Amino acid sequence: MQAGMLRTAIVLGLICVTGPFAIDMYLPALPAIEEALGTSVSGAQATLVAYFLAYGLAQLVYGPLSDQIGRKKTLFIGMSIFAVGAIICAAAPSIELLVVGRIIQGVGGAAVMVIPRAIVRDMYTGAQATRLMSAIMLVISISPMLAPLAGSAVVTFGTWREIFIALAVLAVASLTTAQMLLPETLKDDQRRKVNLGQLSRSCGILFRDPVFVGLTFIAGFGMASFFLFIATASFVYTGQFGLSPTEFSLAFAFNAVGFFTATQFAGTLADRWGLSTLIGRGVAGFAISSTVLALLVLAGYGSLWVLLIGLFAVYAFLGVVIPSSMVAALDAHGQRAGIASSLSGSMTMLTGAVCIGLSTPFFDGTAGPMVISIALCGVVALGLTLFTMPKLKQQQTTLAAA
């Protein structure tokens, strides 16, 4: 990888970790939050759902805004809102106010989902963009390994409230890094004022593109499976298997490392196979591995190690699917990269939030409902892939001939 691309990957990765840290760092504290605020498991999970919903909906704003005022100014606005939300969470006296704080955090954190993807599209397309996105995800991979451990350390030596203070500090540090090291990638002559008519037309074009919609929902159900794991893993690992917060953090890191390790092969495999073949094979592996895991758990073989190894395999396949599908969805829409990134990211996050909401009533503290929900996401993603991949190949042929 070229030095310039590597530097961009590191800077964008450090910005991007703010969003995952806001999820991963407080996972070990969910049982403590449940006890401290006198709420239920579903009440504690509502703080996640609120974050995901706000995180998804707010992305619809940041894309068009960044197309008008530039990527860096938009990032500044989002990260500032995120820091304010973190402070509200730290001071929340009730679960209701904590949910409000998480909503504000999600509104601000959405910027770190939209802006880096738009910057990548400003600079590269195709396999190069996949390679840069994979490098960014390598930096992001510190989140599932370090964030839960940091959160469990805070809970051990302090309270869950200090977790949100740390998140506010992280937001300020990331913002400072971006302002100092990240160039503005959207030139003045490329900027467009927010126009509701134009915005509506752009959304219409994107929604009428079956490749964009299909790839977005493939990534969406892939991410939904990960969100389902995030929302339930702390209760399953600490409740069913009796792990301590630190042991849960290590188990979570083991599951997540498969995803981020696999992302590093996405660019190379995209060069060798092409994006459509890579996505197709990755989704097939995701669907098969998640279904096998669900069947093993239902048959009574759901030990801790079966769960750990099975989820490692599931998310390893997703590690090549998600960056590839995100890149491929935007390839044909360079002239509207901001709104395309916003819409794609919003649909992805909302898919995850809806799946959590639908599965919550069935959660009983054991691994069964969790792995069944993950397998259903894999089956739906496979169906979408079978419909979308022929159209993607046709679109890629058209773009190459243009």
Side-chain angles (χ1 to χ4, degrees):
M1 180 178 289
Q2 298 176 350
M5 183 182 287
L6 179 60
R7 175 177 170 173
T8 300
I10 293 173
V11 174
L12 291 179
L14 290 174
I15 294 168
C16 288
V17 297
T18 307
F21 255 73
I23 301 168
D24 300 337
M25 191 172 179
Y26 94 127
L27 291 182
L30 282 177
I33 290 172
E34 176 191 355
E35 181 179 354
L37 297 183
T39 186
S40 61
V41 171
S42 60
Q45 289 178 331
T47 62
L48 275 171
V49 175
Y51 183 85
F52 288 144
L53 285 172
Y55 198 76
L57 289 172
Q59 291 181 49
L60 295 172
V61 176
Y62 287 116
L65 183 62
S66 73
D67 283 342
Q68 176 171 324
I69 68 175
R71 311 305 188 201
K72 290 182 69 173
K73 289 181 180 178
T74 306
L75 187 64
F76 179 85
I77 293 171
M79 295 298 285
S80 299
I81 295 172
F82 178 92
V84 171
I87 293 170
I88 292 173
C89 289
S94 65
I95 190 64
E96 291 80 11
L97 194 55
L98 181 59
V99 169
V100 170
R102 291 292 284 170
I103 290 172
I104 295 172
Q105 260 197 306
V107 169
V112 305
M113 181 76 169
V114 174
I115 305 306
R117 289 174 61 192
I119 289 173
V120 170
R121 183 57 186 80
D122 288 340
M123 301 175 69
Y124 303 101
T125 59
Q128 279 190 308
T130 299
R131 187 171 287 108
L132 177 56
M133 188 70 74
S134 298
I136 291 170
M137 287 190 171
L138 178 61
V139 180
I140 297 174
S141 66
I142 65 173
S143 171
M145 290 181 278
L146 295 184
L149 286 171
S152 64
V154 171
V155 172
T156 301
F157 297 104
T159 70
W160 57 268
R161 297 182 185 277
E162 280 77 25
I163 291 176
F164 292 102
I165 294 174
L167 288 172
V169 172
L170 176 61
V172 173
S174 299
L175 186 56
T176 302
T177 301
Q179 294 300 314
M180 292 176 59
L181 300 179
L182 189 67
E184 177 56 65
T185 57
L186 189 68
K187 296 179 171 52
D188 290 340
D189 59 357
Q190 296 175 319
R191 299 182 186 184
R192 298 185 297 275
K193 291 184 178 181
V194 175
N195 180 291
L196 291 179
Q198 185 179 25
L199 184 61
S200 177
R201 286 191 293 273
S202 295
C203 288
I205 291 171
L206 292 167
F207 277 122
R208 288 193 297 271
D209 180 0
V211 174
F212 174 83
V213 174
L215 288 169
T216 294
F217 277 113
I218 288 169
F221 279 98
M223 289 299 292
S225 74
F226 198 56
F227 295 160
L228 287 164
F229 170 64
I230 287 171
T232 56
S234 61
F235 298 102
V236 171
Y237 283 146
T238 60
Q240 181 178 349
F241 296 107
L243 301 186
S244 68
T246 300
E247 290 169 336
F248 158 71
S249 300
L250 294 173
F252 182 87
F254 177 80
N255 290 150
V257 75
F259 177 90
F260 291 104
T261 301
T263 62
Q264 301 315 297
F265 296 96
T268 300
L269 293 175
D271 280 332
R272 181 178 301 175
W273 294 341
L275 283 174
S276 59
T277 301
L278 174 60
I279 294 169
R281 292 177 179 177
V283 172
F286 165 43
I288 293 170
S289 59
S290 60
T291 300
V292 170
L293 176 60
L295 292 174
L296 286 172
V297 171
L298 290 175
Y301 297 101
S303 68
L304 177 61
W305 279 107
V306 167
L307 200 62
L308 289 172
I309 295 171
L311 289 171
F312 183 95
V314 169
Y315 294 122
F317 283 112
L318 280 180
V320 297
V321 170
I322 290 177
S324 303
S325 56
M326 285 180 171
V327 165
L330 269 60
D331 261 357
H333 300 284
Q335 70 275 29
R336 56 186 73 86
I339 182 59
S341 179
S342 284
L343 192 58
S344 177
S346 179
M347 292 163 65
T348 298
M349 296 301 296
L350 290 175
T351 301
V354 169
C355 287
I356 292 175
L358 292 175
S359 64
T360 295
F362 301 98
F363 180 65
D364 60 2
T366 67
M370 179 180 74
V371 297
I372 291 171
S373 299
I374 291 171
L376 288 174
C377 288
V379 171
V380 173
L382 182 59
L384 289 167
T385 301
L386 294 174
F387 171 78
T388 305
M389 287 310 101
K391 298 180 185 299
L392 175 59
K393 290 179 181 179
Q394 183 179 3
Q395 184 184 83
Q396 289 176 324
T397 301
T398 303
L399 289 174

